[in-house]
Amino acid sequence: MEFRVEDVEDGATVIAPQGRLTMTSAGELKALVDRSVSRGRPMVVVDLADTTFMDSSGLGALVGGLRATRTAGGDLRIARPTAQVTTVLELTTMDRVLQPRASVEEALRAG
Amino acid sequence: MPADEPAAVRLEGPADGELLDAVHEGVAQLWASAPHVPDTDRMLFEIALVEVVANVVQHAVPAADHVHVAVDLTADDGAVHAEVIDDGAATPVDLDRGLPADTATSGRGLALIQRTVDRFTFERTGDQNVWRLARGFTPEG
């Protein structure tokens, strides 16, 4: 499992999980979010365009990241989820909390 | 086209992360030999199966030096089935728990299983934990 991490404008960080975000990779995503927060960049967009599969552990890492970024005065937003990821968000009703955005740019602009 | 004989895949191994990866590959193998299974049912079944195996891996308490898991997958004319058996210690499974608070970072696995398959049972049989899943195919159109 690989992650692309990119610092973008306005102090935000974009993290893009490549492949399956499951029990075996969820801890790494949470660690990357924590690292961004500790670097003074608590605004994080998780770009899910290349995340082919997410389980409840992956979702848990997103929720943990949301808590960590908000505690630091930032936010965690998600962009471009695949059909499988959207299904997991909807079935757990977590799409209310982690509202999917159509693009990384839209996620950065979202209030 | 319905399959003449049920397509079947069997996986076995210690309860660890490698097994979880093997399950994704095993599911892909099953779909390759059961092309009649609709895409939606493939996706929902895989969500449930991965939650079951992740649960076994995360909560496995070895009765011996490690927990051994066997996963049997079958796809027949109308449904796809899974049986996951491990030889770990008895695991308490609360099937009536529902979804946790929005801020919880875990505890959504069982609810996801219940929302993605038609049949889901867990039982302690002798020295084994036995999980069974089944999902009938969604009518087309």
Side-chain angles (χ1 to χ4, degrees):
Chain A
M1 176 68 174
E2 285 181 21
F3 296 85
R4 291 207 190 114
V5 182
E6 189 189 355
D7 288 350
V8 294
E9 59 196 82
D10 302 329
T13 302
V14 177
I15 302 174
Q18 309 287 302
R20 293 191 292 257
L21 183 57
T22 62
M23 193 192 76
T24 54
S25 51
E28 203 179 337
L29 172 61
K30 179 57 172 44
L32 287 169
V33 174
D34 288 346
R35 196 178 310 161
S36 186
V37 170
S38 65
R39 287 194 298 128
R41 304 178 78 90
M43 178 59 66
V44 173
V45 175
V46 180
D47 181 359
L48 296 162
D50 297 320
T51 305
T52 53
F53 188 95
M54 180 177 80
D55 71 357
S56 64
S57 299
L59 175 58
L62 292 177
V63 175
L66 181 68
R67 281 163 50 176
T69 52
R70 286 191 176 167
T71 299
D75 201 3
L76 182 146
R77 296 168 189 164
I78 60 172
R80 306 199 292 168
T82 54
Q84 193 276 345
V85 171
T86 301
T87 299
V88 169
L89 289 166
E90 289 176 354
L91 289 174
T92 56
T93 71
M94 288 302 285
D95 52 334
R96 293 169 296 110
V97 179
L98 290 158
Q99 290 171 34
R101 308 290 175 179
S103 68
V104 170
E105 292 71 28
E106 194 185 313
L108 287 167
R109 283 197 309 268
Chain B
M1 283 293 287
D4 294 324
E5 291 196 7
V9 170
R10 181 177 175 82
L11 305 158
E12 272 189 89
D16 59 20
E18 269 180 47
L19 179 72
L20 198 65
D21 289 337
V23 163
H24 287 283
E25 281 146 37
V27 167
Q29 209 181 318
L30 183 71
W31 303 150
S33 50
H36 62 288
V37 181
D39 286 346
T40 303
D41 301 306
R42 293 178 182 212
M43 179 177 74
L44 296 173
F45 178 79
E46 187 174 13
I47 290 172
L49 178 63
V50 167
E51 292 298 334
V52 166
V53 175
N55 202 285
V56 169
V57 171
Q58 280 177 313
H59 301 292
V61 179
D65 58 336
H66 71 271
V67 174
H68 184 83
V69 188
V71 181
D72 274 294
L73 309 175
T74 50
D76 57 29
D77 288 353
V80 56
H81 312 262
E83 186 178 73
V84 179
I85 299 179
D86 74 75
D87 62 3
T91 333
V93 176
D94 181 2
L95 299 182
D96 301 317
R97 201 169 49 172
L99 284 166
D102 287 349
T103 51
T105 55
S106 64
R108 296 186 180 87
L110 290 176
L112 260 181
I113 298 167
Q114 289 168 323
R115 288 161 193 221
T116 45
V117 290
D118 304 322
R119 265 196 298 127
F120 167 43
T121 61
F122 168 80
E123 58 182 349
R124 178 76 183 173
T125 306
D127 295 336
Q128 297 179 319
N129 299 306
V130 182
W131 307 73
R132 289 192 183 88
L133 303 174
R135 180 177 174 87
F137 302 153
T138 310
E140 283 182 53

